[in-house]
Amino acid sequence: MSLLATLSGHSDRVWHAAWHPSQLQLVTCGGDKAVRVWTSNETTSTSTSKEATWTQSASIDDAHKRTVRAVAFSPDATLLTSAGFDGATAIWESVGGSEFECVATLEGHENEVKSIAWSASGSLLATCSRDKSVWIWESLGDGDFECIAVLHEHSQDVKMVAWNPRREILASASYDDTIKIWRDKDDDWYCSDTLKGHTSTVWGIDFDETGDYIASVGDDKSLKIWHNANISDAFTPYKCISSTPSIHTRAVYSVSWSKTHGKIATCSGDNYIRVFEVDANKTAVKMIAEIPNAHGDFDVNSVRWCPLAEHGHLLASAGDDGNVKVWSFKGIVDSNSK
Amino acid sequence: MSKDNANPVVFTVSDEETSKAKSKLWRLMAARAAGDSAADSDAMDLDNSADVEQIDAHEVFDLIRNINDPEHPLTLEQLNVAQLRHISVDHANSHISVVFTPTIPHCSMATLIGLCIRVQLLRCLPQRFKVDINVEEGTHQSEKSVNKQLNDKERVAAAMENSHLLEVVNQVLQTQDKRGISRILWGT
């Protein structure tokens, strides 16, 4: 892994970094209550020799009254969304240049919102909170959102939500040590499965490209892979098909399963980023790269593979040092050029 | 409001132990509070230079021994909540473990006490240190949930943005006032 860029600008820990769906652009957020957008000048596809220049192209200061915990672009990139410890989810629209305007604020959670996720079609937005609930919102266009479900089955703080990349199936990860799967039947959302196996908080989850597998990480330091043999059947349960203990020495805060090359990246309070290769049956993982002290002496809070096929080797990370970093995974660039 | 433990056992704090309260970090804070500008460069040295005095359990103990109990006008040391032998420091690997002992197994203040210890160490130690704070095994009925909460950085961060809770924590930590170092800690 080689470091391509260090994006400095946040004045407190950075909690999350999310990629633009179709351009080399990142949106980040953190303890300084700001949302920042970073753009690369690189327009052509993979070149390892040339170092792309990243610059901050927009900043929303005081986006929330408290820490901004999560950010995401909508799938068509017309909207930016942010979730705050102030309990609100804000919807931002670009109004030209580097200006963003808040077009809607989704309220209802009793306290900190921890994560947001857009369904692949862009019609649904999920949020989750320390209030133990998961909410699903329908996007009606023009910044109009309607809450269509309030889901209460987690017994503790919900840390993260993620949509299946191919179907309208939602997964949520919680401080109650479980992952829950949510589906709708005749517009009624319900919990169809509870994945038990982690022995402490589940911090991160991500689907693979097919949507049949989920990778999960958390406080117990393990990496688990779950499989659903028939995901279109709501009665088929997920099974844990792989569990690798102690992939890090402290809590694992984030996992990203690349949709372009299938490698899994993780990051931790032990300051490491690690990359794992998964075998064909997804039952065994092998560490193939690691970055010690990826953000110096500080925790690494999130990792995200770039979703663009031609830039799939790029990995973004966010750390307690206030920086966002963009890494190039050489192993993937090399195999692409063969 | 009735107290959880109305008559706690008070432990004698030996003078010898108290006289050891001259750790590098403690001296540094006191010097800064007294307006000694050289203290700032000392702080840099403390974190950067390899040949400075290593942070040890005594230093960490000094930082928490005089935290007030939330309910009693007594320090965590006097109540045996904080003990030197329950602190371990791995300076080379930037790791510190603090174990504390609630005065009674159903102490409702356990999470608050642990949070105060965490905040105190967050404010005083070089940032690179990873700190684990746990209840002494077998001394609290909700040990697991207290430990989980204290070691969840996201919940600690959220707690620190809660003005009411922050006020309570600051009040508890204010015993340090007597030592003239509070101004530097709270940045006022």
Side-chain angles (χ1 to χ4, degrees):
Chain A
M1 302 285 291
S2 59
L3 178 64
L4 290 187
T6 300
L7 318 182
S8 310
H10 281 286
S11 59
D12 200 316
R13 74 156 53 104
V14 187
W15 275 114
H16 190 56
W19 290 92
H20 187 287
S22 54
Q23 295 171 23
L24 279 183
Q25 200 172 69
L26 283 166
V27 57
T28 62
C29 64
D32 61 0
K33 308 181 179 72
V35 171
R36 297 179 197 277
V37 180
W38 313 81
T39 308
S40 164
N41 66 348
E42 185 171 0
T43 47
T44 57
S45 72
T46 48
S47 121
T48 44
S49 53
K50 191 177 64 182
E51 188 170 311
T53 311
W54 286 79
T55 46
Q56 185 176 310
S57 52
S59 171
I60 309 171
D61 296 324
D62 295 314
H64 287 261
K65 293 187 193 77
R66 292 178 54 189
T67 282
V68 190
R69 179 64 182 86
V71 273
F73 282 102
S74 60
D76 65 1
T78 57
L79 300 175
L80 254 186
T81 45
S82 59
F85 278 2
D86 58 4
T89 301
I91 315 289
W92 308 87
E93 201 169 36
S94 171
V95 289
S98 60
E99 297 294 305
F100 280 86
E101 192 179 273
C102 181
V103 293
T105 305
L106 313 184
E107 306 207 354
H109 281 295
E110 285 169 31
N111 43 41
E112 297 95 281
V113 185
K114 299 293 180 69
S115 171
I116 40 180
W118 286 89
S119 66
S121 69
S123 64
L124 299 174
L125 178 67
T127 58
C128 64
S129 162
R130 189 166 71 92
D131 69 9
K132 307 172 189 176
S133 68
V134 172
W135 292 42
I136 297 174
W137 311 78
E138 190 176 358
S139 173
L140 305 170
D142 295 329
D144 254 359
F145 287 81
E146 184 188 3
C147 176
I148 57 168
V150 177
L151 308 166
H152 274 302
E153 299 208 17
H154 277 296
S155 62
Q156 292 289 343
D157 190 354
V158 189
K159 298 296 196 185
M160 188 178 171
V161 278
W163 286 97
N164 184 300
R166 299 192 180 185
R167 305 162 190 85
E168 289 192 339
I169 297 173
L170 183 71
S172 59
S174 168
Y175 188 87
D176 69 11
D177 308 351
T178 71
I179 298 160
K180 287 186 183 284
I181 306 297
W182 310 89
R183 297 174 185 250
D184 83 313
K185 191 182 182 203
D186 306 327
D187 291 334
D188 266 342
W189 286 83
Y190 69 101
C191 175
S192 67
D193 200 357
T194 299
L195 284 53
K196 293 177 184 166
H198 279 288
T199 56
S200 191
T201 302
V202 188
W203 282 105
I205 42 175
D206 201 8
F207 285 92
D208 80 319
E209 184 263 333
T210 67
D212 294 346
Y213 298 84
I214 295 174
S216 62
V217 294
D219 227 37
D220 67 6
K221 308 174 188 75
S222 72
L223 167 64
K224 294 188 194 295
I225 295 178
W226 312 79
H227 178 228
N228 193 310
N230 183 6
I231 196 152
S232 50
D233 169 24
F235 296 100
T236 304
Y238 273 87
K239 284 199 170 77
C240 183
I241 56 166
S242 163
S243 181
T244 312
S246 306
I247 58 159
H248 286 274
T249 57
R250 294 186 69 80
V252 189
Y253 290 122
S254 176
V255 59
S256 180
W257 198 336
S258 170
K259 310 295 182 280
T260 73
H261 52 70
K263 307 283 191 295
I264 290 176
T266 59
C267 64
S268 161
D270 68 7
N271 312 341
Y272 275 77
I273 291 173
R274 293 201 159 105
V275 179
F276 298 86
E277 192 171 68
V278 189
D279 73 340
N281 301 322
K282 314 274 196 284
T283 52
V285 301
K286 188 177 85 180
M287 189 178 79
I288 51 170
E290 63 177 6
I291 313 170
N293 300 317
H295 286 256
D297 290 328
F298 295 86
D299 291 7
V300 188
N301 296 319
S302 106
V303 278
R304 283 285 167 268
W305 288 111
C306 180
L308 309 176
E310 70 274 30
H311 296 289
H313 61 287
L314 298 181
L315 182 76
S317 64
D320 270 0
D321 61 348
N323 289 328
V324 178
K325 294 191 177 186
V326 181
W327 309 86
S328 169
F329 182 56
K330 288 213 175 66
I332 292 163
V333 180
D334 293 347
S335 61
N336 277 358
S337 60
K338 266 174 206 163
Chain B
M1 200 176 76
S2 73
K3 291 173 179 174
D4 268 8
N5 183 2
N7 295 300
V9 180
V10 180
F11 292 77
T12 310
V13 180
S14 82
D15 286 346
E16 191 197 348
E17 279 299 306
T18 313
S19 69
K20 282 185 193 160
K22 290 193 181 78
S23 71
K24 183 127 185 162
L25 287 167
W26 192 88
R27 283 198 311 269
L28 185 66
M29 287 188 297
R32 279 163 143 188
D36 179 356
S37 59
D40 285 328
S41 55
D42 281 357
M44 298 293 288
D45 286 349
L46 191 67
D47 203 20
N48 295 333
S49 162
D51 50 43
V52 294
E53 200 177 306
Q54 297 215 332
I55 289 173
D56 61 16
H58 269 286
E59 307 235 11
V60 174
F61 184 56
D62 282 344
L63 295 171
I64 64 172
R65 67 199 299 178
N66 291 305
I67 294 174
N68 247 358
D69 180 81
E71 292 186 315
H72 302 283
L74 295 164
T75 67
L76 297 187
E77 183 183 22
Q78 287 171 315
L79 291 169
N80 234 19
V81 171
Q83 296 172 51
L84 178 61
R85 66 191 177 96
H86 284 159
I87 297 171
S88 62
V89 177
D90 179 348
H91 186 92
N93 294 308
S94 305
H95 179 243
I96 292 171
S97 165
V98 175
V99 170
F100 69 102
T101 314
T103 54
I104 40 169
H106 56 273
C107 179
S108 63
M109 294 288 158
T111 311
L112 179 60
I113 291 169
L115 185 63
C116 291
I117 295 173
R118 177 165 292 288
V119 172
Q120 174 76 340
L121 296 182
L122 269 176
R123 287 171 176 174
C124 299
L125 290 170
Q127 283 180 299
R128 67 187 167 85
F129 279 95
K130 313 281 183 181
V131 180
D132 290 321
I133 297 178
N134 290 288
V135 166
E136 185 185 359
E137 213 178 318
T139 63
H140 198 276
Q141 60 191 17
S142 311
E143 182 180 318
K144 204 179 160 210
S145 77
V146 172
N147 290 343
K148 194 171 187 178
Q149 179 130 357
L150 290 174
N151 294 296
D152 181 321
K153 69 185 260 188
E154 187 184 60
R155 290 169 74 115
V156 170
M160 289 301 84
E161 289 185 359
N162 176 325
S163 54
H164 171 69
L165 189 55
L166 188 61
E167 200 176 309
V168 173
V169 169
N170 283 344
Q171 233 156 39
V172 166
L173 293 181
Q174 239 154 27
T175 59
Q176 310 275 329
D177 248 351
K178 293 177 211 147
R179 295 165 171 253
I181 58 177
S182 71
R183 271 167 296 148
I184 194 73
L185 293 181
W186 316 132
T188 52

